[in-house]
């Protein structure tokens, strides 16, 4: 009888994410990394409608096409995150860090972006009709029409 070793491409690391006191789990897969923050699975296409992610560390997260409608991301760190095509309609992103985030074709309509840092963010094709942008930093951001803010 021959024994075979089977290696599964799954690694779990638990602890607290950098800059946050909320438990974070990282699941490594061959082509993507999935985060679990406060019980929410952070991955492309995730349904996070109404999720409470206040002050969550989502730096560099891949949320391509995710549903974040009405999610509460107050003070969250989304620097360098992939939010292409994400639904952020009505989301609370007040004082969130979205520097260099990819928001191409994202729906930010009626989102609260008060005091948010969107410096260097890529917003080409994004819809931000009705969004609240008071005090938001858009320095160097690529706007929906392709222009770059000074």
């Amino acid at each position: 009888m021959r024994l075979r070793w089977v290696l599964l491409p799954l690694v779990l690391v638990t602890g607290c994410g950098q800059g946050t006191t909320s438990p974070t789990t990282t699941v490594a897969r061959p082509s993507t990394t999935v985060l679990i923050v406060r019980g929410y699975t952070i991955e492309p296409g995730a349904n996070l409608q109404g999720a409470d992610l206040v002050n969550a560390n989502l730096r560099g997260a891949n949320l391509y096409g995710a549903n974040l409608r009405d999610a509460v991301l107050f003070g969250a760190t989304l620097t360098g995150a992939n939010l292409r095509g994400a639904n952020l309609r009505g989301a609370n992103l007040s004082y969130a860090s979205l520097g260099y985030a990819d928001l191409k074709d994202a729906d930010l309509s009626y989102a609260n972006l008060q005091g948010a840092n969107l410096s260097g963010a890529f917003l080409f094709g994004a819809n931000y009709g009705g969004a609240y942008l008071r005090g938001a930093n858009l320095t160097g951001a690529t706007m929906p029409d392709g222009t770059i803010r000074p």
Side-chain angles (χ1 to χ4, degrees):
M1 178 165 149
R2 279 176 77 180
L3 293 177
R4 286 189 180 177
W5 288 95
V6 177
L7 298 177
L8 298 176
L10 179 65
V11 178
L12 293 177
V13 180
T14 59
C16 287
Q18 181 181 10
T20 181
T21 57
S22 62
T24 305
T25 302
T26 302
V27 180
R29 295 185 181 155
S31 61
T32 188
T33 298
V34 176
L35 294 174
I36 299 176
V37 178
R38 296 189 196 136
Y40 297 107
T41 302
I42 310 299
E43 64 183 342
N47 183 4
L48 299 166
Q49 184 169 348
D52 177 4
L53 293 164
V54 174
N55 294 320
N57 183 0
L58 302 170
R59 181 182 307 270
N62 186 356
L63 286 161
Y64 178 90
N67 179 12
L68 290 148
R69 184 180 180 129
D70 299 321
V72 182
L73 293 146
F74 181 96
T77 301
L78 290 148
T79 306
N82 179 357
L83 291 157
R84 275 189 179 224
N87 179 359
L88 291 151
R89 184 180 180 94
N92 182 350
L93 292 152
S94 300
Y95 304 99
S97 296
L98 291 147
Y100 300 96
D102 186 348
L103 290 149
K104 183 179 188 304
D105 299 324
D107 183 1
L108 291 159
S109 56
Y110 303 100
N112 183 351
L113 292 154
Q114 179 179 0
N117 179 10
L118 291 141
S119 60
F122 190 68
L123 294 157
F124 186 78
N127 175 12
Y128 64 101
Y132 188 69
L133 293 160
R134 183 178 211 144
N137 178 0
L138 292 159
T139 304
T142 303
M143 301 307 288
D145 63 359
T147 60
I148 298 175
R149 294 284 300 233

